Amino acid sequence: MEIQIEGNRLYASLKDKWLQVKPEDKVRQKYICRLVNNYNFNVGQMDQELQVNNSQRGQGSSQT
């Protein structure tokens, strides 16, 4: 897998769409490529910006 950049657009493999190039997206795509190429992960095993339940700040329980 390789990072695909055309002009000012970057292909986000996990979203299956082209995005405006931003530094954080380049880092994310490099990391995804590393997982696929070096550690044999499958793109189907990953997700991008996955919402998890109770992920807002201040919702965790505090123990005193």
Side-chain angles (χ1 to χ4, degrees):
M1 174 180 250
E2 293 182 8
I3 297 173
Q4 299 177 42
I5 298 177
E6 293 181 5
N8 65 346
R9 298 179 340 143
L10 171 117
Y11 183 70
S13 54
L14 298 182
K15 289 187 171 191
D16 193 28
K17 66 180 184 178
W18 289 89
L19 304 173
Q20 190 81 6
V21 175
K22 295 179 187 170
E24 64 267 21
D25 289 320
K26 285 177 82 171
V27 170
R28 183 180 291 122
Q29 293 307 310
K30 284 181 183 182
Y31 191 72
I32 291 167
C33 286
R34 178 174 287 209
L35 288 172
V36 170
N37 296 334
N38 297 349
Y39 299 101
N40 298 317
F41 274 76
N42 183 315
V43 174
Q45 294 175 289
M46 297 179 249
D47 205 347
Q48 184 170 321
E49 299 175 11
L50 179 67
Q51 179 77 28
V52 293
N53 293 336
N54 297 326
S55 64
Q56 295 180 6
R57 290 184 177 188
Q59 288 189 347
S61 62
S62 62
Q63 297 177 349
T64 54

